[in-house]
Amino acid sequence: MNSPGRFTIRQVAERTKLSTQVIRKWEERYELIKPQRLSNGYRVYTQQDVETILRVKALVDQNYSLQTAIMNVKQQSDFSEDTIVPLEKERLKSHFVEKLIKAGSNCEEAALLRLLQRAHFEYPIDAFIQKVVLPFLKQVGDLWESGGWSEYQEHISSQVVRDYISHLRKGIAQDPEMPLILGTCLPYEMHEIPVHIMLLQAAQKGWRSMFLCPSPAVGAIEKAVERLQPMKVILSAMTVQPFSKDDQLLGRLDHFAVQHPHIQFFLGGSGAIQYTEGKKLRAIIVTEDLNEVLQIPR
């Protein structure tokens, strides 16, 4: 086919490094593109079709699920990573946070979800978390603490973020042969989003990841660890409430960690860092170094 900007399915396959079967699947099952058909029945693809396919492929290569990648490309076809200069990207990130605050103020769950999807599509997951999710959550916390927001506004906004981060993690294919990392809040600790973010980043690095729950019952962490036998355990406390409610909690967990030397236990979060200052633990590692926690032993 010699017409400029018009391609056969085989030419599209050559340009995208995808099989013709995959291209047809994305076209027919997911309605990603709608190629024209010639009188002889052959498909004719445009340059825009090729670029759309490449955008989905790029997201899948970054460990997005196929459905998430296609949904984002279809909804955000008016954005292009290649056409946004660095300064404009920074403005766009601020724009996302401002829009998220407005949607959260009005308790618009659907708008919050759409904005997260758009930001997620525009940036790799690490940048999405650092430049959009964390600044948004900080502003939410500041608004709630200052009285600018009511508890229900904070709760709805945080819940949408939590569910979206959890959805992203579960959309990453996990190799059953890879080691397991278990994340959980401590008893009496309800701030679970930091754990979900860490587990998402762990899944990106190849870990099998599992979240226990916010505020597990006393003894539940130990039972889960004995049953699941993870290689690493992430314990989180953003407040000091777990330790003020149970002053023996940290000692019991540290003793448990000593009895399981083949498992690494990490404790983080602002509340945990504050409480453990000056305290010496035998087995639990108190750290804010994400690279130390997520490094996979060779």
Side-chain angles (χ1 to χ4, degrees), residues 117-156:
Q117 289 171 340
R118 292 182 65 175
H120 171 211
F121 170 70
E122 285 304 320
Y123 305 104
I125 289 180
D126 285 343
F128 167 64
I129 290 171
Q130 295 297 326
K131 301 297 185 179
V132 178
V133 173
L134 293 181
F136 171 58
L137 290 174
K138 184 180 185 307
Q139 287 198 35
V140 168
D142 291 346
L143 285 166
W144 180 70
E145 289 181 0
S146 67
W149 271 19
S150 298
E151 184 175 353
Y152 72 90
Q153 293 169 304
E154 184 274 338
H155 178 72
I156 290 173

Side-chain angles (χ1 to χ4, degrees), residues 130-238:
Q130 295 297 326
K131 301 297 185 179
V132 178
V133 173
L134 293 181
F136 171 58
L137 290 174
K138 184 180 185 307
Q139 287 198 35
V140 168
D142 291 346
L143 285 166
W144 180 70
E145 289 181 0
S146 67
W149 271 19
S150 298
E151 184 175 353
Y152 72 90
Q153 293 169 304
E154 184 274 338
H155 178 72
I156 290 173
S157 298
S158 298
Q159 184 174 353
V160 172
V161 172
R162 179 203 66 190
D163 291 347
Y164 191 74
I165 295 297
S166 178
H167 171 74
L168 290 184
R169 178 178 65 84
K170 292 174 182 178
I172 297 176
Q174 301 193 37
D175 186 344
E177 300 300 319
M178 293 302 288
L180 174 66
I181 188 166
L182 176 67
T184 182
C185 297
L186 290 182
Y188 312 107
E189 177 60 62
M190 297 299 296
H191 294 80
E192 61 185 284
I193 293 178
V195 185
H196 286 292
I197 290 174
M198 290 191 70
L199 291 177
L200 170 61
Q201 293 170 312
Q204 280 189 286
K205 291 182 178 294
W207 287 92
R208 285 190 299 124
S209 60
M210 184 177 296
F211 177 67
L212 183 55
C213 61
S215 188
V218 173
I221 294 174
E222 295 93 321
K223 290 179 181 178
V225 170
E226 289 178 340
R227 172 68 178 84
L228 298 170
Q229 290 295 305
M231 180 174 286
K232 295 187 179 185
V233 177
I234 300 172
L235 306 169
S236 177
M238 298 302 294

Side-chain angles (χ1 to χ4, degrees), residues 5-262:
R6 292 166 59 121
F7 309 98
T8 66
I9 192 169
R10 291 192 178 278
Q11 289 173 322
V12 174
E14 291 174 0
R15 285 165 169 76
T16 61
K17 307 303 181 185
L18 295 171
S19 69
T20 57
Q21 290 86 353
V22 167
I23 294 170
R24 289 194 186 98
K25 175 184 175 182
W26 290 8
E27 172 193 336
E28 296 170 358
R29 182 178 300 181
Y30 298 103
E31 298 182 346
L32 175 64
I33 51 178
K34 296 180 180 180
Q36 297 178 345
R37 284 185 180 267
L38 300 177
S39 57
N40 58 11
Y42 288 133
R43 293 173 171 83
V44 178
Y45 298 84
T46 64
Q47 181 63 37
Q48 184 177 352
D49 291 333
V50 175
E51 292 173 357
T52 298
I53 293 171
L54 286 171
R55 292 172 75 185
V56 170
K57 183 174 183 290
L59 291 174
V60 171
D61 289 344
Q62 294 177 42
N63 291 324
Y64 292 81
S65 69
L66 177 58
Q67 288 184 331
T68 296
I70 289 176
M71 176 184 65
N72 282 328
V73 169
K74 289 172 71 173
Q75 290 185 352
Q76 310 306 329
S77 59
D78 56 324
F79 283 83
S80 172
E81 178 75 13
D82 295 334
T83 61
I84 304 175
V85 299
L87 180 58
E88 289 173 332
K89 289 180 184 179
E90 292 303 316
R91 289 174 179 167
L92 184 56
K93 291 167 188 173
S94 298
H95 172 76
F96 279 130
V97 174
E98 291 171 3
K99 291 289 188 181
L100 284 164
I101 290 295
K102 181 178 179 180
S105 179
N106 296 325
C107 296
E108 298 173 342
E109 289 182 294
L112 285 165
L113 180 58
R114 286 196 301 271
L115 286 163
L116 289 172
Q117 289 171 340
R118 292 182 65 175
H120 171 211
F121 170 70
E122 285 304 320
Y123 305 104
I125 289 180
D126 285 343
F128 167 64
I129 290 171
Q130 295 297 326
K131 301 297 185 179
V132 178
V133 173
L134 293 181
F136 171 58
L137 290 174
K138 184 180 185 307
Q139 287 198 35
V140 168
D142 291 346
L143 285 166
W144 180 70
E145 289 181 0
S146 67
W149 271 19
S150 298
E151 184 175 353
Y152 72 90
Q153 293 169 304
E154 184 274 338
H155 178 72
I156 290 173
S157 298
S158 298
Q159 184 174 353
V160 172
V161 172
R162 179 203 66 190
D163 291 347
Y164 191 74
I165 295 297
S166 178
H167 171 74
L168 290 184
R169 178 178 65 84
K170 292 174 182 178
I172 297 176
Q174 301 193 37
D175 186 344
E177 300 300 319
M178 293 302 288
L180 174 66
I181 188 166
L182 176 67
T184 182
C185 297
L186 290 182
Y188 312 107
E189 177 60 62
M190 297 299 296
H191 294 80
E192 61 185 284
I193 293 178
V195 185
H196 286 292
I197 290 174
M198 290 191 70
L199 291 177
L200 170 61
Q201 293 170 312
Q204 280 189 286
K205 291 182 178 294
W207 287 92
R208 285 190 299 124
S209 60
M210 184 177 296
F211 177 67
L212 183 55
C213 61
S215 188
V218 173
I221 294 174
E222 295 93 321
K223 290 179 181 178
V225 170
E226 289 178 340
R227 172 68 178 84
L228 298 170
Q229 290 295 305
M231 180 174 286
K232 295 187 179 185
V233 177
I234 300 172
L235 306 169
S236 177
M238 298 302 294
T239 68
V240 297
Q241 188 165 345
F243 314 108
S244 60
K245 288 277 190 179
D246 183 352
D247 60 6
Q248 302 299 312
L249 172 63
L250 186 57
R252 289 198 307 272
L253 287 172
D254 193 39
H255 178 70
F256 179 79
V258 169
Q259 294 178 318
H260 296 78
H262 59 292

